[in-house]
Amino acid sequence: MIQIICKSESYTYNAYHILKAFYPSQEVSCKTDEKASNYVMVHLPDDREISVGFENTVEITDTAGRDESTGKIQEDSEKESKKKERKRQIDLSLYDQLERITGEPLAWGVLTGVRPTKLAMQKLEAGWKKEDYINWAWESARVRGEKAALAWEIAEREQKILKELDYENGYSLYVGIPFCPSVCSYCSFSSGPLDRWKEKVDAYVDALCKELEFIAERSKNKKLNTIYIGGGTPTTLTAEQLERLMSWIDEKFSREYLLEYTVEAGRPDSITEEKLKVIKNHDITRISINPQSMQQKTLDVIGRKHTVEEIKEAYALARKTGFDNINMDIIAGLPGEDISDMEDTLAQIAQMHPDSLTVHSLAIKRAARMEMEDLNRDAKETHEILSGMIERAAKAAKEMDLFPYYLYRQKNIAGNFENVGYAKVDKAGIYNILIMEEKQSIIAAGAGASTKIVLRDPIPMPGSKKKKMTRLIRQENVKAVDAYIDRIDEMIERKGEWLWH
């Protein structure tokens, strides 16, 4: 057990996640004590102590906004700036001490956010050079040079792809299908086994179509750029249900400005020739077939109810049906796998020649049924194995003429690494980039779906005469399938409050 004591609650979030990154299998408790003698104090399992004191942080105003050294009232914006700088210095001091103790650096340093490429994009748009960004990323957040360079490379590719989009009048549509053939042991998405909900699927599609009709009506003066049908596993729907849903989307939404239409075919055990033909007949431009691993022993352990051979058969069937933009997902760090297993998985995937490959680092989420202890690895071993797997994946992707085009991270990701999407030059997933960069509104329908509306009307910033030009409004649908069906009118009403407000 690791114990953290913070002088202020504002320090607890980053301290907790930095400790979890260094000690992923350890239980971490965190509490606040305003009388603590240091900003952050940590008691490690081996009885070593870490503390971050006052001596190396910025001087800051008191709670009334009065400078403790001069007695003058400071502007709120200056006070907030100093608070942020103090927090940054605390994070860096904590990180540096933990790296010395463990001997293992974190790939992304003290960054806890899921979108590190947004920082690179901001600097790129501000006219920075790559070398300046890499140096800044190290000094400000201890991001390793190779990761900063990767983020910059991806930001440059994203910028080229996104420059043609109309952020002001364009939007993307997400359609969620929260069913899977079975639930994998590492997963905590808003999905459930199809057998549990089989009698509710038609009613779910009814509710989904109702929500989509509302979105289409509200969005008729906007330009729909991308559609993404995800889950769950959309191909758990029958061919008839897929036909009904896609025909409804065709009827209600204009394709005049549509650049990309993706369907996650996902699990090979849900894919049939009839379903692929339905998808193809609706001119879907991009699909995913996601093996996660090409090791049968691993598929059995994580709860996948299909064979390696069925993955290959589903992929071949998709090519035969005419799909020329197929993504495949794999996960680095699955239980029992070592670097040689990843190399074999990559070799088998290379023989299939996918148009894009997404490499995930295993993230153990709170809702998942797998615990980090199940990996039977300590932090050092986990770091070495994940690092090796990710390096092999990057090399294999390059050999397949696939280049990194988007990147994101998750909380409690094994080894503190990242998820990277690789694609052929003309096959990058536009929707994936949009959801990472948050430059365009994404309107989401379905159970557990999260709408993100980008508002560009200027709004006042507290304590400043300046105005912030954009803000993000999130609107969540309920996760439970039965609640979504029963409360569909409420879900629509929630959207109505903000949708193109």
Side-chain angles (χ1 to χ4, degrees):
M1 163 85 91
I2 295 173
Q3 295 177 314
I4 306 173
I5 300 174
C6 296
K7 191 174 183 65
S8 168
E9 188 175 352
S10 63
Y11 308 143
T12 59
Y13 181 86
N14 283 6
Y16 174 85
H17 285 289
I18 291 171
L19 262 297
K20 284 295 290 185
F22 277 103
Y23 298 95
S25 62
Q26 287 286 338
E27 184 179 349
V28 178
S29 69
C30 199
K31 70 176 184 178
T32 302
D33 182 357
E34 294 180 357
K35 297 180 180 180
S37 58
N38 290 294
Y39 289 122
V40 177
M41 294 182 291
V42 180
H43 182 78
L44 296 173
D46 58 5
D47 291 329
R48 280 187 285 189
E49 303 280 349
I50 294 175
S51 65
V52 180
F54 309 134
E55 63 279 358
N56 62 344
T57 59
V58 296
E59 192 171 348
I60 199 166
T61 60
D62 61 19
T63 56
R66 187 177 300 277
D67 189 287
E68 294 168 347
S69 60
T70 67
K72 293 180 180 179
I73 300 296
Q74 288 191 315
E75 291 289 335
D76 287 346
S77 58
E78 183 181 356
K79 178 183 175 183
E80 287 304 312
S81 177
K82 285 194 173 184
K83 281 184 177 179
K84 288 181 180 179
E85 177 58 18
R86 172 178 284 176
K87 285 177 65 176
R88 188 185 72 84
Q89 291 176 3
I90 289 170
D91 291 346
L92 291 180
S93 178
L94 179 60
Y95 173 90
D96 290 342
Q97 293 183 66
L98 285 166
E99 183 180 336
R100 283 195 296 271
I101 288 172
T102 63
E104 291 294 332
L106 298 181
W108 293 96
V110 300
L111 293 185
T112 58
V114 300
R115 295 176 174 84
T117 54
K118 285 188 73 174
L119 293 173
M121 180 69 80
Q122 289 167 4
K123 302 304 183 186
L124 179 63
E125 292 175 339
W128 282 38
K129 301 297 184 183
K130 180 179 179 179
E131 295 75 16
D132 295 332
Y133 170 73
I134 292 173
N135 291 334
W136 173 84
W138 167 257
E139 293 295 334
S140 66
R142 297 295 187 268
V143 178
R144 315 306 291 183
E146 67 274 15
K147 297 303 179 184
L150 175 63
W152 187 267
E153 178 185 351
I154 288 172
E156 288 182 319
R157 285 204 175 90
E158 289 178 338
Q159 189 179 56
K160 291 177 183 178
I161 292 169
L162 296 179
K163 67 180 180 180
E164 304 299 328
L165 295 181
D166 182 347
Y167 297 142
E168 187 70 32
N169 296 303
Y171 76 102
S172 291
L173 176 68
Y174 175 84
V175 182
I177 308 298
F179 311 112
C180 281
S182 62
V183 178
C184 298
S185 58
Y186 55 79
C187 183
S188 67
F189 287 112
S190 299
S191 58
L194 182 64
D195 287 347
R196 178 184 173 190
W197 297 107
K198 203 163 189 177
E199 302 305 316
K200 292 274 191 177
V201 176
D202 282 327
Y204 178 81
V205 175
D206 288 342
L208 186 58
C209 287
K210 186 174 184 178
E211 186 177 16
L212 287 168
E213 183 174 25
F214 172 81
I215 293 170
E217 175 60 28
R218 277 297 185 97
S219 308
K220 60 186 178 183
N221 295 322
K222 298 289 184 178
K223 300 175 182 178
L224 179 57
N225 292 151
T226 75
I227 302 173
Y228 193 103
I229 302 181
T233 306
T235 42
T236 51
L237 298 182
T238 65
E240 292 77 14
Q241 289 163 341
L242 282 170
E243 173 64 40
R244 180 184 163 205
L245 174 61
M246 293 178 185
S247 295
W248 188 257
I249 292 172
D250 288 347
E251 177 185 339
K252 298 301 177 182
F253 293 88
S254 169
R255 288 192 179 216
E256 183 179 358
Y257 302 100
L258 193 65
L259 303 174
E260 176 184 273
Y261 194 157
T262 299
V263 173
E264 278 195 43
R267 294 274 292 265
D269 46 338
S270 70
I271 296 172
T272 66
E273 184 174 9
E274 185 180 12
K275 292 178 186 180
L276 287 173
K277 285 181 177 178
V278 168
I279 296 170
K280 184 63 180 174
N281 288 341
H282 287 276
D283 297 322
I284 274 65
T285 59
R286 182 175 179 273
I287 65 170
S288 290
I289 297 174
N290 302 329
Q292 314 303 11
S293 173
M294 297 295 284
Q295 309 304 304
Q296 190 61 53
K297 63 177 184 180
T298 307
L299 297 177
D300 295 340
V301 167
I302 65 178
R304 288 254 166 169
K305 306 298 182 183
H306 60 80
T307 65
V308 170
E309 191 57 36
E310 285 175 319
I311 297 169
K312 297 177 181 179
E313 290 170 356
Y315 183 89
L317 186 58
R319 286 299 196 202
K320 179 183 175 183
T321 307
F323 289 100
D324 62 359
N325 192 350
I326 302 176
N327 173 73
M328 302 189 85
D329 281 11
I330 60 174
I331 299 177
L334 287 170
E337 288 201 355
D338 56 24
I339 293 175
S340 65
D341 292 314
M342 172 60 83
E343 289 174 333
D344 183 67
T345 287
L346 290 165
Q348 292 189 60
I349 286 175
Q351 292 175 358
M352 291 185 276
H353 307 289
D355 303 284
S356 58
L357 174 69
T358 306
V359 181
H360 299 269
S361 297
L362 181 64
I364 309 300
K365 300 183 182 180
R366 282 187 289 270
R369 291 183 286 116
M370 183 188 297
E371 297 294 336
M372 183 61 76
E373 286 84 355
D374 292 338
L375 297 177
N376 294 317
R377 300 170 182 154
D378 61 22
K380 184 177 178 65
E381 184 181 6
T382 296
H383 185 278
E384 291 175 351
I385 291 174
L386 262 294
S387 180
M389 288 181 168
I390 290 167
E391 287 175 6
R392 302 305 195 281
K395 182 175 182 291
K398 187 174 182 179
E399 291 170 350
M400 288 184 263
D401 293 324
L402 306 178
F403 302 96
Y405 77 94
Y406 91 109
L407 179 154
Y408 71 101
R409 302 177 65 233
Q410 293 164 272
K411 301 300 181 189
N412 300 325
I413 204 165
N416 195 42
F417 287 102
E418 68 282 332
N419 308 314
V420 179
Y422 301 88
K424 292 181 179 177
V425 172
D426 58 342
K427 299 295 175 69
I430 301 172
Y431 175 87
N432 289 332
I433 297 172
L434 287 170
I435 203 166
M436 289 301 113
E437 292 302 323
E438 297 180 326
K439 290 179 176 293
Q440 187 186 73
S441 296
I442 297 176
I443 314 305
S450 177
T451 289
K452 297 178 182 179
I453 301 173
V454 179
L455 300 179
R456 285 183 163 75
D457 294 333
I459 58 173
M461 295 177 67
S464 173
K465 294 180 180 180
K466 295 181 180 179
K467 291 185 176 181
K468 185 178 180 181
M469 299 307 294
T470 62
R471 55 178 171 154
L472 195 67
I473 301 297
R474 287 179 169 84
Q475 186 272 315
E476 309 279 346
N477 281 352
V478 292
K479 293 183 179 181
V481 171
D482 49 0
Y484 173 77
I485 295 169
D486 293 341
R487 297 166 59 186
I488 186 59
D489 291 335
E490 180 188 337
M491 300 304 100
I492 290 172
E493 186 178 349
R494 287 184 188 182
K495 277 190 172 58
E497 182 180 355
W498 289 105
L499 197 52
W500 316 133
H501 179 64

